[in-house]
Amino acid sequence: TQLLEQSPQFLSIQEGENLTVYCNSSSVFSSLQWYRQEPGEGPVLLVTVVTGGEVKKLKRLTFQFGDARKDSSLHITAAQPGDTGLYLCRGAQKLVFGQGTRLTINP
Amino acid sequence: GAGVSQTPSNKVTEKGKYVELRCDPISGHTALYWYRQSLGQGPEFLIYFQGTGAADDSGLPNDRFFAVRPEGSVSTLKIQRTERGDSAVYLCASSPGTSGYHEQYFGPGTRLTVT
């Protein structure tokens, strides 16, 4: 059973475009984390969201935690090639990651 | 400062052989996690330690897999009678605690190939 469903699985866009990726679950999480992973490396934490409805911004990245704490989104404004990577969400009390969204930003 | 290190970085072994994968966590981190990641997938939880004890080993796929952390620091993941399906990147992470608020710091992984 996949507790965290991420969509889309793959996304390839041009530099400068905006995008949103999603992390959905039927379970309620006390908190949720987003990580980014580059080839040959382990995932690196981007943000932790805790409160339902919370919005956090990290430069061009905006993270939102759903009101019911079952879903989250990551929005990137004016994507750059350096944003390329595998974006993973992880629920707090379950030691599981979503399958990830593989994002490619083309120059 | 030193991050999480994993050795070896790559391991090629023949089907049926025994392998050990090592993880050196960040000093002082009490929690240590093992994950397995197949190409294009997210990390799959295997086991985590709080101190020396395995707090949750529910992700270990079968009894060929075993992990230890005898002194509460370095951990070794052991795989007996390896199978081709065991081929994956094995990731180790450590954190200051097991709360969901704690960041997990990952090592670069060990790429295991079973031929």
Side-chain angles (χ1 to χ4, degrees):
Chain A
T1 303
Q2 182 66 41
L3 291 179
L4 289 166
E5 295 285 345
Q6 291 191 244
S7 61
Q9 190 173 353
F10 298 96
L11 183 59
S12 180
I13 64 171
Q14 294 301 119
E15 181 176 1
E17 294 183 0
N18 302 330
L19 66 107
T20 303
V21 299
Y22 302 91
C23 173
N24 295 297
S25 176
S26 58
S27 301
V28 175
F29 291 98
S30 57
S31 66
L32 191 143
Q33 296 178 326
W34 284 91
Y35 288 76
R36 183 172 73 198
Q37 185 178 22
E38 299 188 23
E41 299 181 6
V44 175
L45 180 68
L46 296 173
V47 77
T48 301
V49 286
V50 176
T51 306
E54 180 178 7
V55 176
K56 281 193 173 179
K57 292 192 174 185
L58 183 65
K59 297 184 180 178
R60 294 176 293 101
L61 278 60
T62 301
F63 304 84
Q64 184 161 9
F65 200 14
D67 291 341
R69 291 184 285 122
K70 292 184 178 181
D71 56 88
S72 181
S73 64
L74 159 58
H75 181 79
I76 301 179
T77 303
Q80 303 294 313
D83 296 328
T84 293
L86 179 67
Y87 288 80
L88 297 157
C89 63
R90 173 187 167 252
Q93 64 266 37
K94 300 290 185 182
L95 295 167
V96 292
F97 282 83
Q99 79 274 30
T101 292
R102 187 163 297 282
L103 176 64
T104 303
I105 309 300
N106 303 299
Chain B
V4 177
S5 62
Q6 293 186 246
T7 55
S9 56
N10 282 283
K11 176 70 177 179
V12 181
T13 190
E14 293 180 348
K15 179 176 178 293
K17 298 290 188 182
Y18 168 83
V19 296
E20 290 189 351
L21 311 179
R22 176 187 168 106
C23 173
D24 279 86
I26 292 173
S27 178
H29 280 191
T30 57
L32 184 146
Y33 306 79
W34 283 100
Y35 295 87
R36 178 170 70 175
Q37 187 173 29
S38 300
L39 190 64
Q41 299 295 311
E44 172 195 5
F45 168 73
L46 297 176
I47 184 172
Y48 93 89
F49 291 86
Q50 179 61 34
T52 60
D56 186 344
D57 64 358
S58 62
L60 294 177
N62 51 59
D63 61 5
R64 295 187 298 106
F65 288 74
F66 189 71
V68 295
R69 194 187 186 198
E71 298 179 357
S73 177
V74 171
S75 177
T76 304
L77 178 66
K78 308 180 181 193
I79 310 175
Q80 298 178 324
R81 305 183 302 282
T82 52
E83 299 177 357
R84 292 193 180 88
D86 299 334
S87 297
V89 175
Y90 288 81
L91 292 167
C92 174
S94 70
S95 71
T98 56
S99 162
Y101 309 101
H102 285 121
E103 176 177 358
Q104 291 190 355
Y105 296 81
F106 283 83
T110 292
R111 181 176 297 279
L112 175 66
T113 303
V114 182
T115 63

